[in-house]
């Protein structure tokens, strides 16, 4: 007997935050592999990127969703020798994503920011 698995809200949020979206979910055996029966389209799904740039340690970088869209997930990357991503979180109004980082031996750090947006 096979165990059935359920997609929890936390797993869905993690999937969306990783940029995989619904389409990457495995299809049940009884559904066509191209479009599972449970697949839904997220209206206006879009990933917006703020490319890497060096900024002073702890300076925030923010990427915003296009007008009318809200952030449903996001992430960031700190680049450089001994770079540390200090924070990665949505803006208070839900329209973008913020990131900041630092390097121990340098006064600046490279930061890239990504926002997953939808209507």
């Amino acid at each position: 007997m096979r165990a059935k698995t359920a997609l929890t809200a936390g797993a869905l949020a993690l999937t969306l935050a990783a940029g995989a979206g619904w389409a990457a979910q495995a299809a049940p055996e009884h559904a066509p592999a191209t479009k599972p029966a449970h697949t839904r389209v997220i209206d206006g799904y879009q990933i917006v990127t703020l490319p890497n740039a060096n900024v002073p340690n702890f300076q925030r970088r923010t990427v915003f969703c296009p007008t009318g869209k809200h952030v449903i997930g996001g992430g960031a990357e700190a680049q450089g020798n001994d770079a540390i991503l200090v924070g990665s979180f949505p803006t208070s109004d839900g329209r973008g994503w913020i990131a900041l980082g630092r390097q121990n031996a340098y006064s600046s750090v490279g930061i890239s920011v990504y926002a997953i947006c939808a209507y």
Side-chain angles (χ1 to χ4, degrees):
M1 182 170 164
R2 243 178 357 162
K4 292 186 179 181
T5 58
L7 183 63
T8 65
L12 175 59
L14 181 59
T15 300
L16 289 173
W22 283 92
Q25 298 300 317
E29 288 179 332
H30 62 277
T34 57
K35 187 171 182 181
H38 67 277
T39 298
R40 294 189 219 183
V41 175
I42 299 174
D43 291 336
Y45 178 89
Q46 178 181 1
I47 298 175
V48 182
T49 304
L50 188 59
N52 183 59
N54 283 334
V55 294
N57 286 337
F58 300 103
Q59 179 175 313
R60 292 180 175 197
R61 294 198 73 211
T62 306
V63 63
F64 289 97
C65 293
T67 302
K69 293 186 179 185
H70 292 85
V71 71
I72 60 172
E77 179 181 15
Q79 298 178 16
N81 294 331
D82 200 25
I84 299 168
L85 184 65
V86 175
S88 176
F89 48 90
T91 60
S92 60
D93 62 4
R95 294 184 320 110
W97 202 264
I98 299 169
L100 62 147
R102 69 174 172 85
Q103 290 191 83
N104 289 326
Y106 301 93
S107 61
S108 65
V109 61
I111 298 289
S112 302
V113 190
Y114 310 90
I116 303 169
C117 306
Y119 289 115

